[in-house]
Amino acid sequence: MSSSKRKVTLEHVKADEGVEGPFLAVFPGITPPKDTAFNVYKPNTEDAKGKKKRRIIEADTGKVEFVGQNFGETARPSHCRYVIAIRNKETDTVTFKDAPVIAVNRTIKSLKNAKLHASSKDQFLQAKNALGEAFGTKKIKQQIKSIERNAVNVSTLDSVASILHDSISAKTSALPSKAEIKSRADEDRPIPPYDINAAKVEDIYKMDSLIPPAEYQLIPFKSLLEKSTQPLAALPYQDSQYVNDALKAALSISKKDRHRIRLLMYISFLMAFRTVPDKRLDDSETIGRIMGDCPSLILEGFYERFTEMPEGNDKKRHTFTPKSKDKLLCWIFAIALTLENFNMDASAMTRDMSLKQTKVNELFKSLGCKVNELSASERAQKGVGAEDAKGMKRAILTVPLTFPLPKRGPKAK
């Protein structure tokens, strides 16, 4: 196995007369932008041995000043020499140049005047304390000594500023970004499965995700058709003005829309399930009385989707949580939106669910709806004035699907 030999020339070059640099700069905490230009100055001293290499470098970024020197109290202690190697590829020559190390300090320009003001204030306090020590009462002298003992020397914090900066940076680097917060909030919404990339509004919440096909086939809607005189008596929940009016309209036409009647019956089952007392969710007698002839498969789906079972509970009791209750309401609203061509009266659900309008609006927005006030034509159609229509809202679902940004900070009082 052959190997080729290359000859490389090493040379050490002293700095040219009149040419400054290079320098190695050390920045504690904050570094300036890469395009910041530094000026090099030589202090006015006699040309004694060891003083010829003294230099001061300075730069101004507009808001921050950077100043450093390789001599004096602020100089960085060094027990060795540093050089920078420069390779010439054409001649295979590596040139070493001396590079003094300079510690650079920063000063925020806007705080210069503040520091001067603080200095004059310190002088005033010193004079005041001197007078107190000379002519003050015993109590005043004790107060002066107490203040001096508890005073914090801010200058001592400069040495740990970079450590604090690095520690804060390390802690904040683990914080989630706005996009991550929004993504987690969207995943945690109490809403049915959705398609964020849906091109048509009817594809956002698909019917199979709202009502599983097996449950859809078991909805006992025929009982509504058979009771021609009092069809509402077949509903498990008869206090919904929205369901009652929509069902009467669907049954009044000769050609019945069976799909629409099925969905109204399913909404009625959901509303009835919502009225079951939390402590009676596992009581079969209570469930039978409230839910009527609801098929067991549909009831099992309700328990699976809208209740929770606390961990560590030997009795395995089902319970409603605030989130599961909101989920049940969002399911009702999503099915109602499909019945109303994705543009419905939000206040109708306010009356039926005995909820505040703000709560209903919030849930519709969680589904991705825009909640708007009635237009002039809609007010005229309903026969209400602008003042009376302030509490009436329209929930409208559109594409592309967007969700409200998560709230930040405490609630306004």
Side-chain angles (χ1 to χ4, degrees), residues 207 211 259-267 335 338-339:
M207 186 53 60
I211 306 176
H259 174 70
R260 186 177 182 84
I261 296 173
R262 282 178 188 266
L263 297 189
L264 290 170
M265 187 69 167
Y266 196 83
I267 290 177
I335 298 174
T338 63
L339 289 171

Side-chain angles (χ1 to χ4, degrees), residues 178-179 181-198 201 203-205 330 334 337 361-371 396-407:
K178 287 184 179 180
I181 292 174
K182 185 177 184 303
S183 177
R184 292 176 186 174
D186 291 346
E187 292 176 359
D188 197 46
R189 293 181 184 279
I191 60 177
Y194 58 88
D195 182 2
I196 192 68
N197 299 315
V201 66
D203 293 333
I204 296 177
Y205 298 104
C330 285
L337 281 167
N361 294 346
E362 180 184 336
L363 293 176
F364 271 115
K365 289 178 181 178
S366 294
L367 288 166
C369 293
K370 295 179 177 62
V371 180
I396 307 168
L397 186 64
T398 59
V399 290
L401 178 64
T402 57
F403 294 115
L405 295 173
K407 296 180 181 179

Side-chain angles (χ1 to χ4, degrees), residues 290-323:
I290 294 176
M291 299 302 296
D293 58 349
C294 179
S296 59
L297 183 64
I298 293 178
L299 201 55
E300 289 173 6
F302 288 178
Y303 276 106
E304 181 180 349
R305 292 191 292 274
F306 309 122
T307 67
E308 295 183 13
M309 297 178 66
E311 296 182 3
N313 193 339
D314 297 335
K315 296 181 180 180
K316 296 183 178 182
R317 189 177 71 84
H318 293 87
T319 184
F320 284 128
T321 63
K323 183 178 179 180

Side-chain angles (χ1 to χ4, degrees), residues 58 87 109 153 165 181 185-187 190 199 201 204 214 231-232 257 274 334 354 383 393:
E58 175 270 337
R87 182 191 171 199
K109 297 173 71 174
N153 187 359
H165 179 271
I181 292 174
D186 291 346
E187 292 176 359
V201 66
I204 296 177
L232 300 183
D257 186 345
R274 179 175 173 267
S354 299
K393 304 288 183 179

